[in-house]
Amino acid sequence: MTTIHKEMVQEHVSMEFSSSTTHVQTFSQTTKITGEEVMTTKSSSTVEFFSLVTRSSNVPAGESVPEFVEKPHPVTSPEGDKAVFRAQVKGNPKPNISWKRESGIPIKESAKMFYDSINKEHVLKLEPLTLDDSDNYKCIASNDHADAIYTVSLLVTEGQDKLDFKKMLKKRGAPPPKKKQKKVTDEKEMLEILSKVPKKDFEKVCIEYGFTDFRGLLKKLKGMKKVEVETIRILKPLEDIKTKVDATVCFECIMELKDPNIKMTWVKGNEPLRIQYSLGKYDVKQMGTKYMLVITNVNMNDAGTYSLSVGDKRMNAELIVLDEPLKFLGEMKPVKVTERQTAVFEIRLSKKVPDFVWKFNGKELKRDEKYEITVSEDGLTHTLKIKDARLSDSGEFSAEVGDLVQKAQLTIDRIPIKFVSTLKNVRVKERSRACLECELTSKDVTLRWKKNGQLLERSTKYSMSHEGKRAELIIEDAQLSDGGEYTVVAMQDGDPTEYFSTAMVTVEERLATVKSGMSDVHAATGSPAELCVVLNDEKVEGVWLKDGKEITDLPGVQIVKQGAVHKLIFPNMGPEHEGKYTFRAKGAESEASVFIADPPTIDPSVLEALAAHPVTVKVGHTANIKVPFRAKPLPKVTWYKDGVEVTEEERVSMERREDQALLSISNCVREDSGLVLLKLKNDHGSATATVHLNVLDRPKPPQGRVEFLELSGNCVHMKWKAPKDNGGRPVTQFIVERRAVGKKSWVKVGEVDSKVTKFSTNKVEEGKAYQFRILAVNSEGVSDPLETDEVFAGNPIEPPGLASQPQVTDVTKEAVTITWNAPTQDGGAPVLGYIVERRKKGSNLWVPFNKDPIQEPPGLVQGLHVSDSSNSSISLAWREPAEGDPPSGYILEMRAEDTKEWSKCTKIPISGTCYTVGGLTERQKYFFRIRAVNEAGVGEPVELDDGVRAMPPPAAPKFDLSARLKSHMVVRAGTALCIHAAFYGSPPPSVIWQKDGIPTKGREAITKGKNHSQFLINSTKRSDSGVYRILLQNEFGEAHYDIHVRVADIPRPPTNLQLFEEVPNTVTLTWNHSPDVQEDGEAHYVILKRDASTATWFTAAERVFSNKYTVTGLLPGRKYYFRVLARNEIGDSDPLDSKDTWLVNKDKIEDLSSKLKPYKQKDWRHAPRFLTPLKPHTVLRGQDCTMTCAFLGNPRPTVTLYKGEVNITANSKFWYNSTSGVCTIVIPTCTLKDSGEYSVLVENELGKDRSSCTLTVYGEGAMGWGQEAGCIPCGAEAQNGGLVGC
């Protein structure tokens, strides 16, 4: 390539080239060139040089000529490959980049020239390469001040399929064109032809001319004598060089050679230089026409004459080596390093010396593990390395040689303390433990803890620990005031720096929610009661308020906290405890009211007094009936009179006070008398009281018509019936009066005792007509009379004749006097009197006078029986006699069992057909008889067959279910169990309390009454759970009632957790049942898992009722902890954790071909089999049912589901999943039709297995207490366990 510069320019050229060795040298030269050709011959060596052509001598400040930051590099690539040149340029103004070939041939069109904006490089990319692409390529960077040109070579080599020796041949030119094969018989002619072609084409030419002895021709060709004409032109000869020891020098000359392969020899003195054996001492380089000898590490022995022999020409030059005095070439500088690093001191001498010494604080140092002493290859640079520098290495280090000394100080800085893990912000709940921890790079530190800049001292509040490189601060029972900025300050000896890490501790107010709130309490006075609140957080405190005021000192109240359960206990309920109670905690509040729940009670003495002493008032007066009682809340008061409810009216008023019921009846009449019943009732019971109201009045008239037993001239004998009502007082006597017919005045003819209803008189005259009347007398007065018709004494007499016409003889304002004459005929008997009748003028009505017929005595009373009885009274009823005239009353008589005398129950006959005899002795036996009476006389008595005792009617015991006696009770442990039973029976039954068939004894308190009994345990335990039976017995029968009591508490934890693998990549857990899960149908287990690398637990399964479970979904290669806890409606048990981690093995993929063994490999295939079969299930209608089983099989078996014989695998009603050998079937919202047999069939090519179970779906009320909802495991399942996930 020839470059001609036709103008004179100043050019600074920096050339960099490399030979076949790895050494690179840089030469600088400034020259003036005017119209001179510079020749560069293309050869197989790489070319690389740089030139800069400036346009101006002055470059303004801030601007610059182009400069190559990254230079292109020569490329040698095989044919068909690619070549990439990259250049990075800077300059101001920004240079423009262009690429050119040095030969002037345009760069081929397939080449790519672009700017790589990512790497900020200009790129020239050539592909695919051909032999024609071999050339020198220029990268030209131009701006206003200069052109920077960097030239590199591209050498494209032939493909690898050519013979190896051809790579050593020079490329002379294009191969000759293919000629037709010629036959040459003359070997000499063939040698002449070969001498004219390049060596690489020898074989090709030989084949063209039909010569196959290619190797023989080659040997003969080499043996031929070749005449060469060598022409040498020396443009620049070698020049003498002066240099210093250890320098690098270069002898160079510029020559034009006709034959570039001419032999060249470098000689020192008279000895040729053995360059290839000089170990890099000598190096020969060529750049174009410039030939160079490079001598490195010059020493005194290298001085002398150096010659270059080229053909018949020889050039000489002298190398003069200057010797210098020994001295330090620079100062040893102080060194400052960080602890545990390596400190390096280095000093360079002007020449090699044997006695160089390093010292520390005046003490000579030797090479050992601590100190590394080295010398450079030229022997001039001495280095001292202090390894693992510590504070003790601080001091003065010196380098000494002879009298020369250099000193420098070594300063050791401590390694800064770093926090491998800094304090992390912590957010905890109030009253929880807060933990701040960090890890430092060093354990030899002093730690201090600060809060908001204030130093913390170790106390019960703050626990500080420092073990190794870890530091920890624990804040116990964190309060809201403990929130703030916490800092750990670390310091070390010899380092005044304080290293710290800061974190924020946030204490969140612990807000709880009410898991189980309070409900209103109704309790009897003196009985225990409690209010209970269950929160979701046992660390939350709360306060109790009564009627809005905090409870601080309320007598008879106990405040108890058991974990998350808060109780307010009333050992003895009293009126002062009534009110509205509030439990208030942060974020939670529950309210309930406490009421005295006393059923109405009336003092037995009051009841006896009311029964024994009737209320007696006189007619027209006011009757006040007061019945004291005790009840809370106030009961409903109802009054009854003879079985009919009394309502308020004009004469009747009712009033209910705090402690008594009042009934007032004004202007009493006799009809108000009777049995008055008071009924008291509230939500907690009822009570009754009876009282007899007796309104005193005159007796009623004697009953019925008067029966005349004898009517004669000498005697009139009559009888009558006693009054129906004696007026509330016994009739003392009867008064009999008579008047002759026609007379106005009544004449008393006698009186009889009240027990006698007969009367005889002889004060009559034969045949004379009389009229009689009878009056009953008691202490209150005389009754109205019972008058008879006119009767005649003796035989009947004909009516007398007519009297004469009456004559009025006298008339006054008040009276009229009339006279008449006696009749002429007296009818056979003296006229006893006259009847005077009158009528008003204008009226035809005369007043008539009639007589009554004579009556017969009544017959026997019928149907005497006892209708009711009590402890102080007996009620009897009967029917009227069937024979005789109707009775006017009845005489009831009685006698006690121990006496023979009969006594009347009433002083006057009983008017009705029933009567209650009061004032009797309790349980005393009485006999009764009754007779009917009328005006004709007294009938025969009728006696009751058997005696009757004064007590309620005999009845077998029976429970009063209206008192809301419960059949199932659930109480929390620690609370009171109170069972109140109401019953009745006559006689009152005996009461026996039993638990699980055995009479109770121990901690209970039993209260018994005639009609009730109460069973009380103040503080229950789990052992109090069971079936309690109340057994009632009397002589007429027995009855019992069962109450199922379950004492619920936080369940006890399971025990003995075992882990094993039944199915690959799963973990099967087994444990011993918690007794509470077996006893409680709703209690179940919760399975949790935790990755060993984290502190967070995740729920793996809930509502597990068996003591075995297989956990799936684990990640291979991870370690896990497992936890099992029992749960019921009260809360969770303490957890049962696995002691060690469980590693889930990764599936190893091995190259079995590398481990082939001569024996037959084991066949792991096997028929499927069930590890855990299906279990029977019983569920409530409407609930979901989950059935689970586990199986093994290889190859993986297919799963088919059946209900009976019907395939239900594809049925959308059933949810089905099979993962890792665990098959789960879910039947949502079970109905009665879902009952039946379910089975799972697993099969592969080696066999099959089947597992079946029975599902029973029942409706509401079809099962016993405790089976209300959910999946109820059967007995076998609860005992044997299984993969049951209901």
Side-chain angles (χ1 to χ4, degrees):
M1 180 181 71
T2 303
T3 302
I4 302 175
H5 298 267
K6 295 182 179 180
E7 298 178 359
M8 182 179 289
V9 296
Q10 184 177 0
E11 185 178 17
H12 177 78
V13 183
S14 295
M15 288 168 286
E16 192 175 285
F17 23 79
S18 70
S19 65
S20 59
T21 68
T22 59
H23 297 281
V24 178
Q25 298 293 334
T26 302
F27 298 84
S28 298
Q29 175 181 335
T30 303
T31 181
K32 292 183 179 179
I33 303 175
T34 306
E36 184 178 354
E37 294 183 356
V38 180
M39 301 298 294
T40 301
T41 304
K42 184 188 296 184
S43 68
S44 60
S45 61
T46 60
V47 176
E48 183 179 6
F49 63 90
F50 169 79
S51 63
L52 178 68
V53 179
T54 59
R55 293 188 175 87
S56 61
S57 59
N58 296 323
V59 178
E63 297 187 2
S64 63
V65 299
E67 180 182 352
F68 282 91
V69 179
E70 292 291 338
K71 309 178 182 71
H73 298 286
V75 176
T76 301
S77 295
E79 184 179 4
D81 204 348
K82 65 180 179 179
V84 179
F85 297 101
R86 301 177 183 272
Q88 189 173 358
V89 183
K90 68 178 181 178
N92 190 13
K94 184 178 180 180
N96 295 320
I97 305 299
S98 61
W99 298 87
K100 292 182 179 180
R101 290 180 65 163
E102 193 175 48
S103 62
I105 301 174
I107 298 176
K108 61 182 181 181
E109 295 181 358
S110 62
K112 297 179 181 179
M113 290 175 281
F114 60 90
Y115 177 69
D116 185 350
S117 59
I118 297 177
N119 298 317
K120 298 181 179 180
E121 296 175 334
H122 297 270
V123 181
L124 169 62
K125 187 175 182 180
L126 303 169
E127 65 174 338
L129 293 175
T130 62
L131 295 176
D132 295 334
D133 292 327
S134 296
D135 202 344
N136 291 340
Y137 287 79
K138 293 182 179 181
C139 179
I140 305 171
S142 304
N143 68 4
D144 297 339
H145 305 298
D147 293 335
I149 305 171
Y150 206 92
T151 305
V152 292
S153 62
L154 169 61
L155 176 62
V156 181
T157 60
E158 292 185 0
Q160 296 295 326
D161 55 346
K162 301 295 189 295
L163 296 175
D164 293 339
F165 75 90
K166 291 185 179 182
K167 296 180 181 180
M168 304 169 58
L169 302 177
K170 294 184 182 292
K171 185 169 69 174
R172 297 296 184 183
K178 187 175 181 181
K179 298 180 181 180
K180 293 183 179 179
Q181 186 174 352
K182 300 178 181 179
K183 279 195 175 183
V184 179
T185 57
D186 191 351
E187 186 176 293
K188 184 178 179 181
E189 183 182 354
M190 187 70 230
L191 290 174
E192 292 179 357
I193 294 172
L194 290 177
S195 63
K196 298 178 182 178
V197 298
K199 288 183 179 180
K200 66 177 183 176
D201 297 328
F202 282 0
E203 184 177 2
K204 183 178 179 182
V205 172
C206 288
I207 293 174
E208 286 183 8
Y209 285 91
F211 277 83
T212 59
D213 188 11
F214 168 69
R215 297 186 182 277
L217 289 174
L218 187 60
K219 290 180 180 179
K220 292 178 181 180
L221 183 64
K222 289 182 178 180
M224 291 176 62
K225 185 176 181 180
K226 187 174 182 182
V227 180
E228 296 182 353
V229 180
E230 297 182 355
T231 303
I232 300 172
R233 181 184 177 191
I234 299 175
L235 301 178
K236 178 185 177 184
L238 296 177
E239 296 179 351
D240 295 339
I241 298 175
K242 290 184 179 180
T243 186
K244 298 178 181 179
V245 176
D246 295 331
T248 298
V249 297
C250 180
F251 288 101
E252 59 182 28
C253 64
I254 300 176
M255 299 180 295
E256 289 183 354
L257 301 178
K258 185 69 174 182
D259 184 3
N261 296 322
I262 192 170
K263 184 177 180 180
M264 296 183 185
T265 304
W266 288 92
V267 181
K268 178 188 177 189
N270 296 321
E271 293 292 331
L273 295 178
R274 304 180 66 183
I275 296 174
Q276 58 181 344
Y277 301 109
S278 66
L279 300 178
K281 177 72 174 179
Y282 304 105
D283 192 10
V284 175
K285 296 185 178 183
Q286 176 189 357
M287 181 179 174
T289 59
K290 183 182 290 187
Y291 298 87
M292 294 166 284
L293 171 65
V294 179
I295 306 173
T296 60
N297 298 325
V298 174
N299 53 41
M300 298 301 297
N301 296 327
D302 293 328
T305 301
Y306 289 83
S307 303
L308 174 60
S309 297
V310 182
D312 57 354
K313 293 187 178 182
R314 186 184 182 97
M315 292 179 285
N316 298 320
E318 188 76 19
L319 175 61
I320 302 171
V321 180
L322 304 175
D323 191 12
E324 294 184 356
L326 178 63
K327 64 179 180 178
F328 288 107
L329 300 179
E331 295 183 358
M332 193 167 67
K333 298 180 180 180
V335 175
K336 185 176 183 180
V337 297
T338 304
E339 183 182 14
R340 304 190 70 88
Q341 292 183 344
T342 299
V344 180
F345 287 99
E346 188 175 81
I347 191 72
R348 186 173 178 83
L349 299 176
S350 60
K351 62 181 180 180
K352 292 183 180 178
V353 292
D355 56 348
F356 184 89
V357 177
W358 288 99
K359 291 184 178 181
F360 172 55
N361 292 334
K363 183 178 179 181
E364 184 178 351
L365 299 178
K366 300 294 184 182
R367 178 193 295 262
D368 57 15
E369 294 180 356
K370 180 70 175 177
Y371 302 103
E372 180 181 337
I373 300 174
T374 59
V375 183
S376 63
E377 292 182 2
D378 59 8
L380 300 180
T381 303
H382 296 261
T383 305
L384 171 63
K385 294 183 180 180
I386 301 97
K387 300 179 182 178
D388 192 22
R390 300 300 179 101
L391 284 177
S392 58
D393 295 325
S394 300
E396 185 181 68
F397 285 82
S398 59
E400 300 181 6
V401 52
D403 296 332
L404 298 177
V405 178
Q406 281 273 8
K407 297 180 180 181
Q409 195 73 20
L410 175 60
T411 304
I412 307 297
D413 288 341
R414 293 299 301 269
I415 298 176
I417 300 173
K418 294 183 180 179
F419 288 87
V420 177
S421 62
T422 60
L423 297 180
K424 302 295 188 299
N425 293 339
V426 175
R427 184 180 297 272
V428 298
K429 294 287 187 181
E430 186 181 8
R431 301 203 63 192
S432 298
R433 168 188 283 191
C435 180
L436 292 169
E437 59 182 359
C438 63
E439 184 177 353
L440 303 97
T441 54
S442 175
K443 62 182 179 179
D444 300 324
V445 297
T446 302
L447 297 178
R448 291 176 295 155
W449 291 89
K450 294 182 179 181
K451 177 194 173 187
N452 297 330
Q454 299 297 320
L455 187 65
L456 296 178
E457 300 292 339
R458 187 184 303 271
S459 64
T460 56
K461 183 71 174 179
Y462 300 105
S463 175
M464 307 168 187
S465 64
H466 180 197
E467 296 181 0
K469 298 179 181 180
R470 296 192 65 83
E472 185 178 62
L473 172 66
I474 297 177
I475 306 171
E476 301 287 353
D477 193 24
Q479 303 296 326
L480 295 178
S481 58
D482 293 325
E485 183 182 72
Y486 286 79
T487 304
V488 58
V489 181
M491 296 189 68
Q492 57 184 348
D493 295 337
D495 186 359
T497 307
E498 291 186 349
Y499 303 90
F500 61 88
S501 178
T502 301
M504 294 298 297
V505 173
T506 304
V507 181
E508 296 180 341
E509 189 174 16
R510 186 177 286 273
L511 301 178
T513 58
V514 176
K515 191 174 182 181
S516 176
M518 296 187 293
S519 56
D520 292 346
V521 173
H522 298 79
T525 302
S527 65
E530 72 173 29
L531 293 172
C532 180
V533 178
V534 181
L535 303 179
N536 66 336
D537 192 335
E538 64 180 16
K539 293 188 177 182
V540 174
E541 298 289 345
V543 295
W544 290 91
L545 298 92
K546 180 178 184 291
D547 298 328
K549 296 182 180 179
E550 184 176 352
I551 298 175
T552 56
D553 186 19
L554 183 60
V557 175
Q558 300 174 6
I559 298 178
V560 177
K561 180 180 182 296
Q562 299 172 340
V565 180
H566 299 259
K567 296 180 181 179
L568 192 65
I569 300 176
F570 307 91
N572 293 292
M573 197 67 183
E576 68 277 8
H577 298 142
E578 281 193 302
K580 183 177 182 181
Y581 288 84
T582 303
F583 177 79
R584 188 171 296 160
K586 292 181 179 179
E589 184 173 305
S590 181
E591 292 184 348
S593 296
V594 174
F595 303 98
I596 295 294
D598 288 341
T601 57
I602 301 174
D603 195 300
S605 61
V606 173
L607 293 175
E608 293 178 1
L610 292 174
H613 304 286
V615 176
T616 303
V617 296
K618 292 185 177 182
V619 172
H621 292 198
T622 299
N624 292 316
I625 302 176
K626 296 180 181 179
V627 180
F629 63 84
R630 293 192 304 272
K632 194 75 173 185
L634 291 178
K636 178 183 178 183
V637 176
T638 308
W639 293 90
Y640 296 89
K641 163 70 168 52
D642 295 330
V644 179
E645 184 177 352
V646 177
T647 57
E648 288 195 5
E649 54 186 37
E650 184 178 355
R651 292 190 310 113
V652 180
S653 64
M654 294 176 285
E655 183 180 356
R656 182 192 68 184
R657 297 178 181 174
E658 289 291 331
D659 57 353
Q660 66 179 2
L662 176 64
L663 174 66
S664 296
I665 304 174
S666 60
N667 299 320
C668 287
V669 297
R670 177 59 185 166
E671 287 73 16
D672 294 332
S673 298
L675 183 66
V676 178
L677 173 67
L678 168 65
K679 186 173 184 180
L680 305 174
K681 184 176 182 181
N682 63 11
D683 290 339
H684 311 289
S686 61
T688 59
T690 57
V691 60
H692 287 274
L693 175 61
N694 191 12
V695 180
L696 302 181
D697 195 5
R698 297 178 301 127
K700 295 296 181 181
Q703 294 185 75
R705 295 185 341 182
V706 178
E707 180 182 358
F708 288 94
L709 302 177
E710 181 182 352
L711 284 173
S712 63
N714 300 321
C715 178
V716 174
H717 188 193
M718 68 189 76
K719 72 175 183 178
W720 61 89
K721 294 179 181 180
K724 288 185 178 181
D725 183 6
N726 61 7
R729 293 291 188 183
V731 174
T732 57
Q733 60 187 359
F734 294 100
I735 299 175
V736 181
E737 295 180 341
R738 182 202 69 183
R739 70 177 178 180
V741 176
K743 300 290 185 181
K744 290 183 178 181
S745 60
W746 292 90
V747 178
K748 180 179 180 182
V749 293
E751 60 183 32
V752 295
D753 188 75
S754 61
K755 295 180 180 180
V756 179
T757 57
K758 293 181 180 180
F759 180 76
S760 298
T761 181
N762 55 2
K763 297 178 181 180
V764 293
E765 296 179 8
E766 183 73 22
K768 193 174 182 180
Y770 295 95
Q771 190 178 9
F772 295 88
R773 69 178 184 182
I774 304 165
L775 300 91
V777 180
N778 66 6
S779 61
E780 299 301 317
V782 180
S783 69
D784 293 335
L786 171 63
E787 295 183 0
T788 67
D789 293 335
E790 292 181 2
V791 295
F792 291 91
N795 292 326
I797 300 173
E798 291 293 333
L802 293 174
S804 63
Q805 181 73 31
Q807 300 293 323
V808 178
T809 59
D810 187 17
V811 177
T812 65
K813 292 181 180 181
E814 291 81 12
V816 173
T817 302
I818 61 173
T819 63
W820 67 88
N821 294 323
T824 59
Q825 297 291 333
D826 58 5
V831 175
L832 299 177
Y834 300 91
I835 296 174
V836 177
E837 296 178 347
R838 68 181 180 88
R839 67 178 176 85
K840 291 183 179 181
K841 187 176 181 180
S843 174
N844 296 322
L845 181 62
W846 297 91
V847 177
F849 191 84
N850 298 320
K851 299 178 182 180
D852 293 331
I854 300 174
Q855 295 178 332
E856 295 182 3
L860 296 177
V861 175
Q862 297 185 20
L864 178 62
H865 66 278
V866 177
S867 61
D868 196 7
S869 62
S870 68
N871 293 327
S872 60
S873 65
I874 297 175
S875 298
L876 299 102
W878 57 88
R879 297 192 305 275
E880 291 185 356
E883 299 177 355
D885 290 330
S888 60
Y890 301 91
I891 298 174
L892 181 63
E893 296 176 307
M894 71 175 183
R895 68 176 178 86
E897 185 180 19
D898 54 354
T899 181
K900 298 294 185 179
E901 296 181 359
W902 292 91
S903 62
K904 292 183 177 180
C905 297
T906 59
K907 292 182 179 181
I908 61 175
I910 301 169
S911 59
T913 57
C914 61
Y915 187 76
T916 299
V917 182
L920 305 180
T921 302
E922 183 177 359
R923 299 189 64 79
Q924 175 70 47
K925 193 171 186 180
Y926 294 91
F927 294 89
F928 295 90
R929 69 180 184 182
I930 191 169
R931 293 181 292 179
V933 297
N934 60 14
E935 293 181 357
V938 180
E940 294 298 325
V942 175
E943 186 173 347
L944 200 61
D945 295 339
D946 298 316
V948 183
R949 294 190 182 276
M951 64 179 188
K958 191 173 182 181
F959 287 93
D960 182 6
L961 298 181
S962 65
R964 295 188 297 181
L965 182 62
K966 298 179 180 179
S967 61
H968 296 85
M969 298 179 67
V970 179
V971 296
R972 292 188 180 90
T975 62
L977 169 62
C978 182
I979 305 174
H980 185 86
F983 50 82
Y984 48 85
S986 182
S990 61
V991 181
I992 300 175
W993 288 87
Q994 295 178 344
K995 177 179 179 290
D996 298 329
I998 302 173
T1000 60
K1001 55 182 179 179
R1003 299 182 300 109
E1004 72 278 358
I1006 299 176
T1007 304
K1008 297 181 180 179
K1010 291 182 180 180
N1011 297 314
H1012 72 276
S1013 180
Q1014 179 174 285
F1015 182 90
L1016 175 65
I1017 298 177
N1018 287 322
S1019 180
T1020 55
K1021 301 178 181 177
R1022 276 197 182 93
S1023 58
D1024 294 324
S1025 298
V1027 179
Y1028 287 79
R1029 170 169 289 188
I1030 315 169
L1031 182 61
L1032 307 177
Q1033 295 177 334
N1034 68 6
E1035 58 192 81
F1036 297 100
E1038 67 178 33
H1040 70 269
Y1041 194 88
D1042 291 341
I1043 301 101
H1044 296 259
V1045 176
R1046 180 164 62 88
V1047 180
D1049 197 0
I1050 294 175
R1052 286 166 283 185
T1055 57
N1056 191 25
L1057 178 61
Q1058 301 290 332
L1059 281 70
F1060 57 91
E1061 183 179 69
E1062 284 186 339
V1063 179
N1065 294 329
T1066 67
V1067 179
T1068 299
L1069 285 66
T1070 63
W1071 58 90
N1072 293 339
H1073 267 303
S1074 167
D1076 303 309
V1077 173
Q1078 291 181 307
E1079 297 170 2
D1080 185 358
E1082 284 300 310
H1084 55 273
Y1085 297 104
V1086 179
I1087 314 298
L1088 299 100
K1089 64 180 180 180
R1090 176 173 71 84
D1091 193 311
S1093 62
T1094 67
T1096 304
W1097 288 94
F1098 295 93
T1099 300
E1102 291 185 298
R1103 297 190 65 78
V1104 177
F1105 291 87
S1106 68
N1107 63 338
K1108 183 178 180 181
Y1109 189 82
T1110 298
V1111 181
T1112 62
L1114 303 177
L1115 298 178
R1118 297 286 184 90
K1119 293 182 179 180
Y1120 291 90
Y1121 287 98
F1122 295 93
R1123 169 177 289 180
V1124 181
L1125 52 86
R1127 175 176 293 174
N1128 61 11
E1129 69 270 21
I1130 302 301
D1132 295 344
S1133 69
D1134 294 333
L1136 172 63
D1137 292 348
S1138 57
K1139 296 180 180 179
D1140 302 317
T1141 58
W1142 180 272
L1143 174 62
V1144 181
N1145 295 322
K1146 289 186 176 179
D1147 296 332
K1148 297 182 179 179
I1149 302 175
E1150 300 179 353
D1151 184 6
L1152 299 179
S1153 62
S1154 64
K1155 295 186 178 181
L1156 291 176
K1157 296 183 179 180
Y1159 57 86
K1160 183 179 179 181
Q1161 189 177 8
K1162 183 178 179 180
D1163 187 3
W1164 292 100
R1165 300 181 303 158
H1166 60 86
R1169 61 184 177 89
F1170 280 93
L1171 299 174
T1172 303
L1174 294 174
K1175 304 293 182 180
H1177 286 69
T1178 303
V1179 298
L1180 177 65
R1181 181 174 60 189
Q1183 300 294 322
D1184 296 345
C1185 179
T1186 302
M1187 296 183 283
T1188 310
C1189 61
F1191 56 85
L1192 277 178
N1194 189 13
R1196 182 178 179 181
T1198 59
V1199 180
T1200 309
L1201 309 181
Y1202 291 92
K1203 179 183 179 186
E1205 298 301 326
V1206 179
N1207 188 332
I1208 61 172
T1209 306
N1211 193 327
S1212 60
K1213 173 176 173 57
F1214 305 95
W1215 301 346
Y1216 149 73
N1217 181 37
S1218 179
T1219 304
S1220 302
V1222 178
C1223 178
T1224 302
I1225 310 165
V1226 179
I1227 306 175
T1229 316
C1230 291
T1231 64
L1232 296 178
K1233 294 182 180 179
D1234 292 325
S1235 298
E1237 183 181 53
Y1238 290 81
S1239 59
V1240 176
L1241 176 66
V1242 291
E1243 57 183 337
N1244 62 12
E1245 59 190 36
L1246 300 178
K1248 60 184 177 179
D1249 195 7
R1250 190 166 188 151
S1251 177
S1252 302
C1253 72
T1254 302
L1255 171 62
T1256 303
V1257 181
Y1258 64 93
E1260 293 288 349
M1263 299 192 68
W1265 172 81
Q1267 301 176 354
E1268 297 176 355
C1271 183
I1272 310 300
C1274 67
E1277 184 174 316
Q1279 296 173 5
N1280 300 329
L1283 297 176
V1284 180
C1286 295

